[in-house]
Amino acid sequence: MFNDVEVDADTRRQLELLKGGLTIPPPANREKAARLAQIGSELSSMYGSGQYCREDGTCLSLVEVSAQMATSRDADLLLVYWEGWREVAVPMKPLYVEQVGLGNEGAQSLGFSNVSELWRGKYDMPADEFPKELDRLWSQVEPFYESLHCHVRAKLGEHYGEDTVPQDQPIPAHLLGNMWAQTWGNIYDVVKPEQEMQVPDVTAALKAQGYDELAMVKQAESFFSSLGFEQLPETFWERSMFQKPEGRDVQCHASAWNLDDQEDLRIKMCIQKTGEEFNVIHHELGHNYYQRAYKDQPLLYRGSANDGFHEAIGDTIALSITPKYLKQIGLIDEIPDASNDIGMLMQVALDKIAFIPFGLMVDQWRWKVMSGEVAPEDYNKLWWELREKYQGVQAPVDRDDDAFDPGAKYHVPANVPYTRYFLAHILQFQFHKALCDIAGDEGPLNRCSIYGSEEAGTALNKMLEMGMSEPWQNAMTTLTGSPDMDASTIAAYFAPLKTWLDEQNKDRMCGW
Ligand SMILES: [Zn+2]
């Protein structure tokens, strides 16, 4: 109704945000809208209650099979778990197909051609331009990803044999330490440099110094305080959940909340006392500080400049958890010299760079599905084409005709758009660089920590408090001086590792 009404630019922006606010908009018809809601909850619950059940009747939850995927080095067993978990998705397919149809009807009633156009249209540029922008960013990362892929495939070939890991083909998807082969940090032991690397053991340091869950959160808060951000409110400490409560089930997946859109900030986590979780706490607090920074914006502007920004903020801070910082807060005694950086960079790359093509392909698949470019009988085929094209991984066994492998990833049945995570992985390095420049850190990017820099904090806060009141390009300019997303910082951050990888790969055939 309001599409053609003449209003000022600011009102138009708010109307557009309102119109694009739903992920899967319901059709106007009440019965169809009710059916769409029912499908949504059924798909979520199929995933949430999903289990892998063995022939003897014992069943494993996703948490349990994921732990196996992370730690087992038995290719046959990994394959059993990999295939087993994907069984949960088979019955989702007819519901998913029906949902696509209903969602598209809803999108059309708002003036979009389909849900794909609605999703691609949320980035302050024409919906058809946005995928080209993503391709551009990916092309900046691709050469480094290929070097990493080449080394990892070679090492997996040494470990499992080249029959299992053919050196001229995509990597079988069950061997990378993660159910979806989306982060590879769990196989660091297989692919790490042979030379001994001194990498700070944060988990051990936390233990040695008697940090409990609360102390870990306090330490993370103090990072933000050192940048000049106001301390978290008293209610944060009273109302957050830091530990898994006794005697009742909770969703342990870490999350951050602002309950009243003002000061009622909380996180919900079952904190493990590890270095990895220490990072996650910073990630979650990043959400809280962002939420608080834009709380005075009009309601529709209280949000992330684009959806990648919110996920990127805490990670940006976590990139400053460097040995230099760990020494400053007394968690380690000595900063290992730069020759040890390859080990640390490898760990970061296995998680963050390995993720990037996965973060890209999930919505490449969904955009084609939602726009009807691919028919339901080809959904799974397209999924694996994209997995091969971008990630260079392949299904370890031929997939059955009724397989619906995308459904085995939470964000597909739950309808959470995924491009935000791709963007966040690009943006966090770009933000880190901008903040290090502002903080006056002149060393290599991977050794920089902005801890204690109020200048960096002020610059960051300027961007955060804009919320989504202006196109994200303006928020970007506020912090970085340029309106463009740019993945070239990744090459700079990982430069020492790239040199090392190229040396390792010089007699190998790379690519797939
Ligand atoms: Zn997050």
Side-chain angles (χ1 to χ4, degrees), residues 254 283-284 287 310-311 421:
H283 174 93
E284 298 307 333
H287 287 305
H310 230 303
E311 293 305 329
Y421 303 106

mmCIF file of all heavy atoms in Angstrom, residues 254 283-284 287 310-311 421, ligand 1:
data_model
loop_
_atom_site.group_PDB
_atom_site.id
_atom_site.type_symbol
_atom_site.label_atom_id
_atom_site.label_comp_id
_atom_site.label_asym_id
_atom_site.label_seq_id
_atom_site.Cartn_x
_atom_site.Cartn_y
_atom_site.Cartn_z
ATOM 1 N N ALA A 254 25.537 -20.310 22.708
ATOM 2 C CA ALA A 254 25.797 -18.982 23.261
ATOM 3 C C ALA A 254 25.006 -17.904 22.520
ATOM 4 O O ALA A 254 24.912 -17.914 21.296
ATOM 5 C CB ALA A 254 27.296 -18.669 23.173
ATOM 6 N N HIS A 283 32.905 -12.352 21.764
ATOM 7 C CA HIS A 283 31.962 -12.271 20.641
ATOM 8 C C HIS A 283 30.580 -11.855 21.142
ATOM 9 O O HIS A 283 29.948 -10.942 20.602
ATOM 10 C CB HIS A 283 31.887 -13.627 19.914
ATOM 11 C CG HIS A 283 30.839 -13.669 18.846
ATOM 12 N ND1 HIS A 283 31.104 -13.380 17.527
ATOM 13 C CD2 HIS A 283 29.515 -13.939 18.902
ATOM 14 C CE1 HIS A 283 29.994 -13.473 16.825
ATOM 15 N NE2 HIS A 283 29.010 -13.812 17.632
ATOM 16 N N GLU A 284 30.102 -12.525 22.181
ATOM 17 C CA GLU A 284 28.754 -12.237 22.692
ATOM 18 C C GLU A 284 28.670 -10.822 23.264
ATOM 19 O O GLU A 284 27.701 -10.108 23.033
ATOM 20 C CB GLU A 284 28.341 -13.268 23.741
ATOM 21 C CG GLU A 284 28.264 -14.710 23.219
ATOM 22 C CD GLU A 284 27.395 -14.873 21.987
ATOM 23 O OE1 GLU A 284 26.450 -14.078 21.792
ATOM 24 O OE2 GLU A 284 27.670 -15.790 21.190
ATOM 25 N N HIS A 287 27.968 -8.157 20.772
ATOM 26 C CA HIS A 287 26.545 -7.944 20.481
ATOM 27 C C HIS A 287 25.930 -6.991 21.512
ATOM 28 O O HIS A 287 25.221 -6.055 21.173
ATOM 29 C CB HIS A 287 25.780 -9.269 20.531
ATOM 30 C CG HIS A 287 26.028 -10.182 19.370
ATOM 31 N ND1 HIS A 287 25.857 -9.799 18.064
ATOM 32 C CD2 HIS A 287 26.414 -11.495 19.318
ATOM 33 C CE1 HIS A 287 26.128 -10.834 17.255
ATOM 34 N NE2 HIS A 287 26.478 -11.871 17.995
ATOM 35 N N HIS A 310 26.827 -7.032 12.937
ATOM 36 C CA HIS A 310 26.579 -7.479 14.312
ATOM 37 C C HIS A 310 27.470 -8.671 14.678
ATOM 38 O O HIS A 310 28.042 -8.734 15.766
ATOM 39 C CB HIS A 310 25.107 -7.843 14.520
ATOM 40 C CG HIS A 310 24.508 -7.182 15.729
ATOM 41 N ND1 HIS A 310 25.020 -7.332 16.991
ATOM 42 C CD2 HIS A 310 23.435 -6.350 15.854
ATOM 43 C CE1 HIS A 310 24.286 -6.623 17.852
ATOM 44 N NE2 HIS A 310 23.326 -6.008 17.188
ATOM 45 N N GLU A 311 27.587 -9.607 13.731
ATOM 46 C CA GLU A 311 28.398 -10.793 14.007
ATOM 47 C C GLU A 311 29.892 -10.454 14.019
ATOM 48 O O GLU A 311 30.697 -11.188 14.576
ATOM 49 C CB GLU A 311 28.116 -11.890 12.972
ATOM 50 C CG GLU A 311 26.712 -12.473 13.037
ATOM 51 C CD GLU A 311 26.348 -13.011 14.421
ATOM 52 O OE1 GLU A 311 27.250 -13.468 15.139
ATOM 53 O OE2 GLU A 311 25.157 -12.940 14.776
ATOM 54 N N TYR A 421 27.212 -14.296 7.959
ATOM 55 C CA TYR A 421 28.424 -14.893 8.532
ATOM 56 C C TYR A 421 29.597 -14.772 7.554
ATOM 57 O O TYR A 421 30.740 -14.583 7.955
ATOM 58 C CB TYR A 421 28.180 -16.348 8.921
ATOM 59 C CG TYR A 421 27.032 -16.497 9.898
ATOM 60 C CD1 TYR A 421 25.807 -17.008 9.493
ATOM 61 C CD2 TYR A 421 27.170 -16.071 11.219
ATOM 62 C CE1 TYR A 421 24.744 -17.120 10.380
ATOM 63 C CE2 TYR A 421 26.113 -16.172 12.107
ATOM 64 C CZ TYR A 421 24.898 -16.698 11.689
ATOM 65 O OH TYR A 421 23.842 -16.794 12.562
HETATM 66 ZN ZN ZN B 1 26.918 -13.850 17.265
#
